[in-house]
Amino acid sequence: MVGVSVHPETSIQYLKGIGPKRFEALKRLGYETISELFYFFPRRYEDRSHFRPIRSARISEFITIKGEILDLKVRPVKRLEIFEMLVGDSSGTIHASWFNQGYLKKNFEIGEQIILSGKVEFYNRLQLNSPEYEVLISDEEETIHTGRITPIYPLTEGLWQRTLRTAMKQLVDQHAGELLHEYLPSSIRMRHDLIELTPAIQNIHFPESSGTLAQARKRLIFDEFFLFELALLEKRTKEKREGTAIPIPVEKDFLEQFTKSLPFALTGSQKKVIREILADISKDIPMRRLLQGDVGSGKTLVALSAVLQTVRAGYQGAFLAPTEILAEQHYKTMTKIFGPLGINTRLLTGSTDEISKNDIRNNLRTNKNEVVVGTHAILQDNVKFSNLGLVIIDEQHKFGVKQRGHLLKGTLSPHLLVMTATPIPRTLGLTLYGDLELSTITELPAGREPIKTYWITQKKEKEVFEFIIKKLKAGDQAYIVFPTIEETEKVDVQAATKEYEKLKKGAFKDFTVGLVHGRMDSKEKDYVMRRFHAGEIHLLIATSVIEVGIDNPQASIMVIENAERFGLSQLHQLRGRVGRGSKASYCFLFGNPKTDDGKRRLRVLTKTGDGFKIAEEDLLIRGPGDFLGTRQHGVPQFALANLVTDYEILKTAREEAIHLLEKDSCLKHPELSRLNERLKQYTTYFQD
Ligand code: ADP
Ligand code: MG
């Protein structure tokens, strides 16, 4: 930086060594200002801090040496040229060569001290091939590229490791002290033994030692989690403080009557979570609650009790499902339950015709429709509620986190209940749902038997089919699923269709076989599902459109083809389509996994039916990004932190965030002004 005064918002193009071209490249990576560039972290490090005697070099080792330049030459080879350097120390000499980089020669002089780091290779003699280099002016001088634990930055077109590293060194040396300000309260730093911000940033880029690098990482990972949790919880604290929701009174007697009218008794768990939810919505603080319960634990009814109370109090309810099939199933359940009570439920999905859509939208705007159930279509901007009191999101893990925010904007905030059958492993729970209160259904309805699960090779198909035929004859129903992967959906659908044609005429010719897949239009899907529910279709061939939520208690057999292609949680969900009544249920996994992880997945399923155990295992096998799938847009990206391995830091950061907001919910204390500023920067970035 020449002559100009620098401030955090100064564009990085004014840094020495960053011209317009490199600026463009960094901008593409998301860094524009100096304060942002401090957080452009190395991708990894190479330890080039130990000098080895040249004599000790062995083929294919990676070494760092320090010596004197003894000779320099540019040697033509065919139409190209090789730049060669001979370096010696007290133990011996070695050549270094750079292919087609003759222009480098002018940077060096014989007699200079130099450090080289690179791989030892053999071309008629031992030599270093295109090593990293650094000329030493004096012995005290701190080196940048080698002779140290060296940062390796992620690159993009137009960025070179050496120039970038030089610029970063300059940035950190000259501006970190002046531009970075400690924002963590010192009490928090003390309690958790966290170093200050400036040395943390300095050491994450140019570590003095592996020890200081570890300290820097710990401090910066803490920061990532702490800011994230603060942002999340601050919003929630504000909602609580301002009390902007509609209180919905609970009518105990009415509710009791309603549950008595059901064909079964609620489980203790269901009753408990219903109480928790109703207590929440009776307050003027908007409910933000996550209901988790394994597949088949009866979440729908819990949600419907809350919807019922909302409508009774004169407000509207919105019920979101991730697929049309599921939305239609809920619609059916709701018309059955709500219809007799005179409550008007409407179904709004992508394939609702325009006339009905308009009608629904008009009625919602004027409070004529009380409950709407549907898919993403409900989230469209032109769907406006006059009086929205409660939003239910079923199978939340299939939606992005951002999407849940959408309906909740507005002056009065509706209550929100999100439901999931994919139990969220603790780490992810804290980050994804850290602002939600948690209710858990811990028991399944009485009389459910564990689903007997077998992992089977294709050779046994005939025996499995014979077993299914026996069961179908006894009045059971079955699914055969060909799971779909988004990228290959078309092929998967073809496979399912082909198999359907084959099975219908072959093994299952004595039964009614149905087919349902994601490429059918909603009416066709609905028709097939209705016939399956009614018992008219005995065997349903399906793709993973039936993965979530589908509920037919008469179905007791699930066959999953190509099971090795799917994640554990997804397989658990699919399996959860059976075992929903009192019948003994079976799941057959056909699969021939090639990898150990693949085998482990299928083995886990045969051993346990516990969704929580399965989710933890899945997270371990796949890591957080994959675990939530590509559709889960809301997974926060942390630059340094790893949700699995840094769990302990996350927990501490969260506790500190909670503690701080309890003491000072607006973070008004003067000691927190820097933190507040940092948080503001962070939330603008975090919310869009
Ligand atoms: P999920 O939690 O997977 O969404 P559902 O709400 O679809 O589960 O319920 C699964 C099945 O169990 C449904 O057929 C539902 O009617 C039934 N069910 C719900 N609660 C009970 C209960 N207490 N006793 C018996 N069956 C129940
Ligand atoms: Mg469900």
Side-chain angles (χ1 to χ4, degrees):
M1 181 85 34
V2 255
V4 215
S5 77
V6 225
H7 54 90
E9 297 315 306
T10 305
S11 162
I12 51 186
Q13 60 182 318
Y14 298 112
L15 277 178
K16 204 170 126 202
I18 308 267
K21 252 201 175 138
R22 284 174 199 138
F23 175 61
E24 283 309 314
L26 283 163
K27 220 163 104 177
R28 259 181 283 135
L29 292 174
Y31 303 89
E32 283 188 54
T33 65
I34 288 193
S35 64
E36 288 166 350
L37 199 57
F38 283 122
Y39 288 87
F40 179 42
F41 296 139
R43 177 164 54 90
R44 62 186 178 89
Y45 304 84
E46 270 174 18
D47 190 347
R48 301 173 184 169
S49 58
H50 303 289
F51 303 124
R52 288 263 305 272
I54 289 176
R55 251 180 98 96
S56 72
R58 297 287 174 270
I59 295 176
S60 68
E61 273 185 319
F62 188 96
I63 64 165
T64 300
I65 58 158
K66 182 167 145 187
E68 185 184 333
I69 301 180
L70 302 176
D71 194 17
L72 294 167
K73 87 172 143 241
V74 174
R75 195 155 61 84
V77 176
K78 291 180 189 155
R79 256 171 298 148
L80 308 168
E81 47 184 28
I82 293 180
F83 166 49
E84 285 187 338
M85 176 188 291
L86 181 67
V87 176
D89 67 6
S90 58
S91 76
T93 62
I94 193 165
H95 277 91
S97 71
W98 287 265
F99 193 67
N100 211 20
Q101 292 182 62
Y103 61 88
L104 284 178
K105 182 165 178 278
K106 64 178 185 312
N107 298 335
F108 305 97
E109 272 176 43
I110 291 174
E112 280 177 331
Q113 289 292 311
I114 192 164
I115 301 177
L116 296 176
S117 289
K119 197 168 170 199
V120 183
E121 294 185 7
F122 189 79
Y123 295 96
N124 298 321
R125 64 184 183 206
L126 287 184
Q127 68 175 46
L128 290 168
N129 236 358
S130 298
E132 288 256 14
Y133 55 84
E134 188 146 2
V135 175
L136 292 176
I137 308 298
S138 77
D139 255 3
E140 283 92 72
E141 194 199 26
E142 203 188 351
T143 60
I144 298 180
H145 307 289
T146 185
R148 64 172 313 125
I149 298 178
T150 310
I152 313 288
Y153 289 94
L155 296 177
T156 179
E157 212 188 308
L159 274 185
W160 303 100
Q161 196 63 249
R162 260 187 99 79
T163 36
L164 178 62
R165 196 184 287 134
T166 308
M168 291 305 289
K169 184 80 169 93
Q170 186 214 315
L171 170 74
V172 165
D173 283 356
Q174 297 183 12
H175 303 299
E178 165 200 1
L179 296 183
L180 290 169
H181 300 293
E182 184 54 72
Y183 51 80
L184 276 189
S186 55
S187 55
I188 293 183
R189 280 202 303 107
M190 297 303 176
R191 262 199 295 285
H192 306 294
D193 206 9
L194 299 169
I195 63 170
E196 279 192 56
L197 183 62
T198 302
I201 291 287
Q202 284 165 336
N203 275 280
I204 201 80
H205 290 286
F206 295 92
E208 276 165 37
S209 68
S210 54
T212 58
L213 174 59
Q215 285 176 326
R217 278 184 59 86
K218 181 179 162 194
R219 158 69 205 243
L220 295 170
I221 289 172
F222 182 91
D223 282 20
E224 288 189 335
F225 284 143
F226 186 64
L227 289 171
F228 177 80
E229 291 291 331
L230 264 185
L232 205 66
L233 297 165
E234 198 205 19
K235 208 170 108 241
R236 182 66 185 141
T237 311
K238 191 161 162 247
E239 284 169 352
K240 283 190 179 164
R241 198 173 52 227
E242 294 175 357
T244 50
I246 304 156
I248 290 165
V250 182
E251 306 159 285
K252 280 223 173 72
D253 294 344
F254 172 78
L255 219 66
E256 219 155 85
Q257 230 177 303
F258 164 70
T259 48
K260 274 206 190 105
S261 75
L262 297 171
F264 42 72
L266 294 181
T267 63
S269 246
Q270 282 172 313
K271 285 188 200 150
K272 187 187 99 216
V273 300
I274 290 178
R275 273 199 301 275
E276 288 167 354
I277 292 164
L278 295 182
D280 267 11
I281 64 176
S282 68
K283 295 181 196 144
D284 65 356
I285 298 166
M287 170 170 78
R288 298 289 177 263
R289 190 170 278 277
L290 171 67
L291 172 59
Q292 37 172 7
D294 212 342
V295 280
S297 60
K299 294 183 291 293
T300 316
L301 251 162
V302 170
L304 293 189
S305 329
V307 175
L308 191 55
Q309 285 289 279
T310 306
V311 175
R312 297 263 305 173
Y315 301 97
Q316 296 166 309
F319 199 123
L320 262 94
T323 64
E324 293 196 355
I325 291 193
L326 188 52
E328 275 149 19
Q329 177 184 291
H330 284 321
Y331 175 67
K332 229 175 65 185
T333 313
M334 285 154 98
T335 38
K336 202 161 81 194
I337 293 182
F338 292 162
L341 301 168
I343 296 170
N344 187 6
T345 308
R346 297 295 295 265
L347 174 67
L348 181 61
T349 69
S351 37
T352 307
D353 62 71
E354 276 311 314
I355 298 173
S356 310
K357 268 186 192 159
N358 265 328
D359 184 50
I360 293 172
R361 285 196 288 254
N362 286 335
N363 285 335
L364 286 174
R365 246 195 301 269
T366 53
N367 203 19
K368 275 188 216 128
N369 282 148
E370 298 156 305
V371 182
V372 60
V373 50
T375 53
H376 288 88
I378 298 184
L379 294 173
Q380 240 116 66
D381 284 335
N382 55 7
V383 180
K384 299 241 160 50
F385 293 81
S386 56
N387 218 350
L388 185 59
L390 173 67
V391 177
I392 309 275
I393 302 183
D394 194 16
E395 308 291 353
Q396 152 78 29
H397 60 284
K398 292 275 159 191
F399 289 89
V401 169
K402 279 171 198 156
Q403 282 163 313
R404 77 170 133 102
H406 187 97
L407 270 183
L408 308 177
K409 288 197 186 117
T411 39
L412 275 184
S413 200
H415 299 286
L416 171 71
L417 179 68
V418 308
M419 308 201 284
T420 182
T422 298
I424 312 299
R426 333 166 268 173
T427 24
L428 291 178
L430 288 187
T431 49
L432 285 177
Y433 302 120
D435 55 340
L436 302 183
E437 262 90 17
L438 186 66
S439 286
T440 307
I441 302 186
T442 50
E443 64 189 315
L444 293 177
R448 296 272 173 88
E449 281 185 48
I451 304 164
K452 294 199 186 72
T453 302
Y454 306 93
W455 167 20
I456 281 174
T457 63
Q458 215 70 36
K459 276 186 246 147
K460 294 258 174 87
E461 192 182 68
K462 202 162 159 257
E463 286 163 58
V464 172
F465 283 1
E466 276 162 16
F467 176 81
I468 298 176
I469 288 169
K470 205 176 78 195
K471 284 286 185 180
L472 294 183
K473 278 188 180 145
D476 284 24
Q477 287 173 284
Y479 298 90
I480 298 181
V481 177
F482 293 82
T484 27
I485 301 184
E486 264 158 279
E487 304 89 72
T488 62
E489 193 195 337
K490 208 164 148 195
V491 180
D492 291 325
V493 166
Q494 280 166 357
T497 312
K498 218 174 97 201
E499 211 59 23
Y500 161 72
E501 296 295 342
K502 205 175 95 193
L503 294 173
K504 176 168 89 160
K505 291 185 198 119
F508 298 97
K509 61 179 187 313
D510 299 334
F511 301 93
T512 313
V513 183
L515 172 69
V516 64
H517 60 69
R519 302 208 149 206
M520 287 160 73
D521 74 34
S522 158
K523 285 220 175 61
E524 289 174 284
K525 278 189 276 189
D526 187 35
Y527 177 66
V528 175
M529 292 314 290
R530 276 174 201 268
R531 290 184 63 210
F532 185 57
H533 276 274
E536 291 164 25
I537 287 173
H538 306 113
L539 174 66
L540 184 63
I541 313 293
T543 60
S544 21
V545 286
I546 60 137
E547 177 189 331
V548 291
I550 295 307
D551 181 46
N552 176 5
Q554 297 308 310
S556 66
I557 298 168
M558 168 63 65
V559 177
I560 303 176
E561 303 272 352
N562 303 113
E564 74 277 359
R565 287 171 55 191
F566 293 87
L568 254 179
S569 295
Q570 202 178 4
L571 291 169
H572 178 63
Q573 283 280 338
L574 278 169
R575 173 171 67 175
R577 294 317 106 217
V578 299
R580 302 174 78 82
S582 51
K583 289 181 183 213
S585 298
Y586 304 86
C587 174
F588 300 99
L589 304 166
F590 283 115
N592 189 12
K594 301 275 183 295
T595 63
D596 286 346
D597 278 353
K599 289 176 186 149
R600 188 164 143 200
R601 279 202 295 269
L602 298 190
R603 211 171 301 122
V604 169
L605 279 170
T606 60
K607 295 239 159 70
T608 180
D610 180 339
F612 284 82
K613 272 197 205 134
I614 287 171
E616 297 272 349
E617 188 75 20
D618 201 11
L619 178 62
L620 274 179
I621 297 177
R622 290 204 284 172
D626 269 357
F627 172 80
L628 291 153
T630 44
R631 267 171 293 184
Q632 181 64 286
H633 323 288
V635 187
Q637 295 294 318
F638 298 108
L640 292 172
N642 175 313
L643 286 173
V644 180
T645 50
D646 298 318
Y647 176 65
E648 287 306 319
I649 307 182
L650 169 60
K651 227 172 60 182
T652 341
R654 180 174 168 84
E655 280 159 13
E656 287 293 356
I658 293 174
H659 183 65
L660 195 64
L661 287 168
E662 271 169 4
K663 274 197 319 207
D664 184 357
S665 72
C666 302
L667 306 180
K668 272 207 294 268
H669 193 281
E671 203 207 342
L672 302 179
S673 66
R674 286 245 151 84
L675 176 61
N676 229 328
E677 234 167 77
R678 180 79 183 93
L679 190 62
K680 270 197 207 104
Q681 282 170 8
Y682 180 79
T683 35
T684 13
Y685 178 74
F686 164 82
Q687 266 161 1
D688 50 40

